[in-house]
Amino acid sequence: GENVEQHPSTLSVQEGDSAVIKCTYSDSASNYFPWYKQELGKRPQLIIDIRSNVGEKKDQRIAVTLNKTAKHFSLHITETQPEDSAVYFCAASINTGGFKTIFGAGTRLFVKA
Amino acid sequence: DAGITQSPRHKVTETGTPVTLRCHQTENHRYMYWYRQDPGHGLRLIHYSYGVKDTDKGEVSDGYSVSRSKTEDFLLTLESATSSQTSVYFCAISVALAGDYEQYFGPGTRLTVT
């Protein structure tokens, strides 16, 4: 079955710097890759996603890239702010309703002011 | 919040007791899911439903059962709770958007089994 690995598990950056989180997946049939942000004590919130027919997607300060050949995808946050501090999860899915979504273990991002 | 609520939000129970968690949605979505979240494991799928009375197992289904008798409610039952089932449980739904699906989570239930 699908396996998603996420690195690093913890990331600390200075405010204004960029942060990059990387994930790899194993099932070449996966075609949908969402990213979630989870603040302490809150639910995971979808922040951006990418589909397998697209190599890159950007939304303001966040961007995702996908390399289908290498089976890896990344989240890039530019100009980080203290409110970006949270746990980020990547996931891989065969997008037929979502029930084959497999999550990475998460990255705890600290943005130091 | 995609119209998802969970109850209870917090529960403490003793080993061996049955526990039922409820997920309720107001927007008639077909797909519903139960996940558990534990440190170092991300979110792991317990069971999911693709319609009334249509359910199937996820990756960590042992010790759990589910029922969906109405579109809006998806129940997760721990028949005999164990300490290893101490976790935060999230319900989720899939929302169809432009031919694809996006998943949204409920607020979570923190369950402690003593």
Side-chain angles (χ1 to χ4, degrees), chain A residues 90-105:
Chain A
C90 64
S93 173
I94 299 173
N95 200 228
T96 57
F99 48 81
K100 292 187 185 293
T101 301
I102 302 296
F103 288 80

Side-chain angles (χ1 to χ4, degrees), chain A residues 38 41-44, chain B residues 4-11 21-23 34-35 37 43 87-92 105-111:
Chain A
Q38 186 178 29
K42 302 287 182 63
R43 74 188 79 189
Chain B
I4 312 168
T5 58
Q6 292 183 231
S7 58
R9 295 291 314 279
H10 303 270
K11 186 168 182 68
L21 309 182
R22 179 181 183 237
C23 178
W34 278 107
Y35 289 88
Q37 184 175 38
L43 292 138
S87 187
V88 179
Y89 291 86
F90 286 100
C91 173
F105 289 86
T109 294
R110 182 173 296 276
L111 176 67

Side-chain angles (χ1 to χ4, degrees), chain A residues 36 38 43 51 89 95 97, chain B residues 33 37 94 100-101 103 105:
Chain A
Y36 290 84
Q38 186 178 29
R43 74 188 79 189
R51 289 164 175 82
F89 293 97
N95 200 228
Chain B
Y33 314 81
Q37 184 175 38
S94 282
D100 279 326
Y101 292 88
Q103 206 165 48
F105 289 86

Side-chain angles (χ1 to χ4, degrees), chain B residues 13-111:
Chain B
T13 193
E14 293 184 350
T15 299
T17 59
V19 176
T20 295
L21 309 182
R22 179 181 183 237
C23 178
H24 180 76
Q25 54 130 338
T26 59
E27 299 179 3
N28 217 35
H29 296 295
R30 178 181 176 191
Y31 296 99
M32 298 183 76
Y33 314 81
W34 278 107
Y35 289 88
R36 61 177 288 173
Q37 184 175 38
D38 305 289
H41 289 279
L43 292 138
R44 293 181 291 174
L45 182 65
I46 305 170
H47 282 279
Y48 61 92
S49 170
Y50 44 96
V52 172
K53 297 186 179 172
D54 289 326
T55 65
D56 207 345
K57 296 178 180 179
E59 56 186 316
V60 289
S61 60
D62 287 349
Y64 302 95
S65 63
V66 290
S67 66
R68 192 166 177 202
S69 58
K70 298 184 291 184
T71 299
E72 58 265 36
D73 289 326
F74 191 31
L75 304 181
L76 177 71
T77 297
L78 291 65
E79 300 290 347
S80 178
T82 68
S83 58
S84 65
Q85 293 176 312
T86 292
S87 187
V88 179
Y89 291 86
F90 286 100
C91 173
I93 60 169
S94 282
V95 177
L97 291 169
D100 279 326
Y101 292 88
E102 295 183 356
Q103 206 165 48
Y104 294 89
F105 289 86
T109 294
R110 182 173 296 276
L111 176 67

Side-chain angles (χ1 to χ4, degrees), chain A residues 29-84:
Chain A
S30 292
N31 60 1
Y32 174 64
F33 306 91
W35 285 86
Y36 290 84
K37 175 183 180 183
Q38 186 178 29
E39 297 176 345
L40 190 62
K42 302 287 182 63
R43 74 188 79 189
Q45 299 266 24
L46 179 68
I47 56 171
I48 195 167
D49 55 21
I50 190 167
R51 289 164 175 82
S52 59
N53 58 347
V54 175
E56 184 174 357
K57 182 177 179 181
K58 190 173 182 180
D59 183 3
Q60 298 183 334
R61 294 187 297 108
I62 61 173
V64 290
T65 58
L66 171 65
N67 183 326
K68 285 191 297 182
T69 303
K71 294 185 197 165
H72 64 69
F73 56 113
S74 301
L75 175 72
H76 303 251
I77 306 174
T78 58
E79 300 173 24
T80 54
Q81 301 167 3
E83 52 265 38
D84 294 329

